[in-house]
Amino acid sequence: MPTLSLDSVYLAYFASHIPITMAVDLMPLLPTRLIPQPLLALNAFLTNTLGDPLMLIGHTRTDLTWFRALLACELVLQLPFFFYAVWALWNSCPRRHLPLLVYGVHVSTTMAPVLGTLAFGDIDRSRNERLALGAMYLPYLLVPLIMAARSFAECSRMFASRVKKTE
């Protein structure tokens, strides 16, 4: 298990993201009739309490189709990766940095339209509600961004040391 470090933060991030993805993030992709009542209630609580226009279940706003596409990527690409990341971080796998770099860049890029929509999009929310939503989503930009920067530095360091060995 990693010592208290950025890897520990990443481990907590990925381990917590597995149930969040399965119980919250993927629900807008499913038809309402397939969602268990407790998850419908959780979604209603979160969307009513936080006023999140992106996570509404059963709404088909065509201007938010891009967000549903990002949720599909979360299901197909990210969710399987979360399990690998938990394993790799728990075991301090030396090859974890390149996959973490790819993940960090991917998620940082996908968070730009999310935060842009919340800040400037055509959503019926007050300035304070937009700020609160932005604050809720901001860690999902910052952690992957830090992860990408650190992983890039680690990959560069490892590449440079291998190049020196071959010279």
Side-chain angles (χ1 to χ4, degrees):
M1 177 166 170
T3 58
L4 188 57
S5 64
L6 280 176
D7 277 357
S8 297
V9 172
Y10 303 156
L11 179 61
Y13 170 89
F14 286 117
S16 67
H17 216 57
I18 292 169
I20 290 169
T21 296
M22 294 172 65
V24 178
D25 293 356
L26 299 181
M27 294 307 106
L29 290 177
L30 299 174
T32 306
R33 69 183 186 285
L34 296 180
I35 302 172
Q37 185 57 43
L39 295 181
L40 284 171
L42 175 62
N43 178 272
F45 171 77
L46 293 172
T47 55
N48 292 333
T49 304
L50 302 172
D52 189 344
L54 301 175
M55 295 303 294
L56 294 171
I57 292 176
H59 292 265
T60 55
R61 287 182 55 180
T62 57
D63 60 325
L64 296 179
T65 302
W66 62 269
F67 185 71
R68 298 228 194 285
L70 292 181
L71 292 179
C73 286
E74 187 171 356
L75 170 64
V76 174
L77 301 174
Q78 294 179 35
L79 183 59
F81 178 75
F82 297 159
F83 291 94
Y84 165 79
V86 167
W87 173 85
L89 290 160
W90 182 265
N91 292 296
S92 299
C93 178
R95 296 178 186 216
R96 69 190 179 279
H97 299 292
L98 184 57
L100 292 176
L101 171 61
V102 172
Y103 172 83
V105 170
H106 165 71
V107 172
S108 298
T109 303
T110 64
M111 286 308 298
V114 170
L115 292 169
T117 297
L118 294 174
F120 309 111
D122 185 21
I123 59 173
D124 186 25
R125 301 295 183 268
S126 70
R127 182 176 184 266
N128 287 343
E129 289 171 320
R130 288 172 186 260
L131 287 172
L133 283 167
M136 181 188 72
Y137 278 98
L138 194 58
Y140 297 103
L141 169 66
L142 294 180
V143 171
L145 197 58
I146 293 166
M147 186 183 302
R150 177 175 173 248
S151 297
F152 178 77
E154 286 295 322
C155 288
S156 296
R157 183 189 60 74
M158 287 188 288
F159 181 73
S161 71
R162 288 189 184 223
V163 169
K164 285 182 184 178
K165 287 180 184 178
T166 61
E167 291 178 346

